Amino acid sequence: FEMAKAWQRLSNNPNEIRKSDIILLEHEYLESQYMAQGYDYMEAHKLTCKQYDWYKARRAEIADDENHKSKDN
């Protein structure tokens, strides 16, 4: 669900693009480069997450959003 929302922002809402959305693009590109070099998906993904960990970046943004919401209430 979160990844689909990221692709929606990247495709249709340029004013709403988040840092994690850019990390997702970088992640997918690097992962594809590893796979082109012969790595299987799991190994390529593992290596890519060391540099561009989209999941970690998105979780941090969600936590930050939740912290802002609780402070606003």
Side-chain angles (χ1 to χ4, degrees):
F1 180 70
E2 287 298 324
M3 191 175 290
K5 290 186 343 186
W7 287 115
Q8 285 288 327
R9 285 190 297 272
L10 288 162
S11 300
N12 303 321
N13 301 310
N15 294 330
E16 296 179 22
I17 292 174
R18 295 169 168 253
K19 183 177 179 182
S20 65
D21 300 339
I22 301 304
I23 291 171
L24 175 61
L25 290 176
E26 293 169 326
H27 174 101
E28 294 300 326
Y29 176 75
L30 183 58
E31 192 172 68
S32 73
Q33 295 302 299
Y34 280 127
M35 291 178 73
Q37 293 173 23
Y39 290 92
D40 67 23
Y41 168 76
M42 290 305 295
E43 190 62 25
H45 181 75
K46 189 174 169 184
L47 290 167
T48 300
C49 283
K50 291 179 181 179
Q51 190 169 353
Y52 298 112
D53 191 341
W54 176 77
Y55 302 100
K56 182 178 179 181
R58 188 63 194 124
R59 283 191 306 268
E61 284 179 348
I62 290 169
D64 190 47
D65 289 348
E66 289 173 0
N67 286 336
H68 286 317
K69 285 180 188 176
S70 66
K71 288 179 183 178
D72 292 341
N73 292 328

